[in-house]
Amino acid sequence: MRRPVIAIDGPAGSGKSTVAKLVAQRLGFLYIDTGAMYRALTLKALRIKADLSDEAKLGSLARATEIELKQSGGSLKIYLDGKDVTDQIRTPEVTNNVKYIARTKAVRECMVAIQRKLGEQGGAVMEGRDIGTVVLPNADKKFYIDASFDIRAVRRYEELKDGGAAVTEEGIKKDLKVRDESDFSRAIGPLKKADDAILIDTTDLTIEGVVDKVLSLIKA
Ligand code: DC
């Protein structure tokens, strides 16, 4: 019997990545981080100094690039053309430029095709912005994980500060606002709750609380 496929969408800082990872672990499912795929392509485009406004070039670049997600122990490793770039795709430079890659139609078509293939096998938790609306409209269960702007900014601030980065709350809020604007207003594949997605607001919930809630809804 084909195992279910779960779609999880939501804005940056909502906690969706942590939730998706833990839910996948608890179910023994594959965890598919689609944001990492856009980040990996952004890293490549920056490395080769591609023109980030040239849609045709970015499309060919996407089609000529191999991006793999490999589960290694409890964590996910991201490979770009055969090389591990798990850490390199999290730099501020990549984060600030991913919007140019993510808004490009030809890139999205290529990414969505790969993501659908990954989801087809079932037994997967796929996380992103357009999973329930575009990538897997027939997913067995869909979740939209949200939280207030302020709490998303605080979480991001604490995460970066704990990682040793020199950040301010003001700076984080400015970056988050820019990311939200590009995520919500993108012409193709914008962040949007699917009509049949279950909304979970994590503002006042702990991660464990959200994970338990998602698991019980999947099993229901
Ligand atoms: O989840 P993340 O913050 O690592 O994602 C990085 C960027 O990739 C995000 O700002 C928007 C883009 N993205 C997207 O356009 N579609 C997805 N399914 C996932 C991410």
Side-chain angles (χ1 to χ4, degrees), residues 34-35 38-39 90 98 102 108 128-130 179 183 186:
T34 62
Y38 289 95
R39 284 173 178 274
R90 303 284 162 197
V98 70
R108 296 202 78 86
R129 304 294 191 287
D130 58 343
R179 290 188 70 188
D183 275 347
R186 199 167 32 238

Side-chain angles (χ1 to χ4, degrees), residues 16 33 42 53 89 91 94 101 152 162 182 187 202 212 215-216:
K16 69 174 184 318
D33 174 359
T42 305
S53 64
I89 62 166
T91 63
V94 169
I101 297 296
R152 290 192 287 122
D162 290 349
S182 81
T202 69
D212 287 343
L215 284 170
S216 69

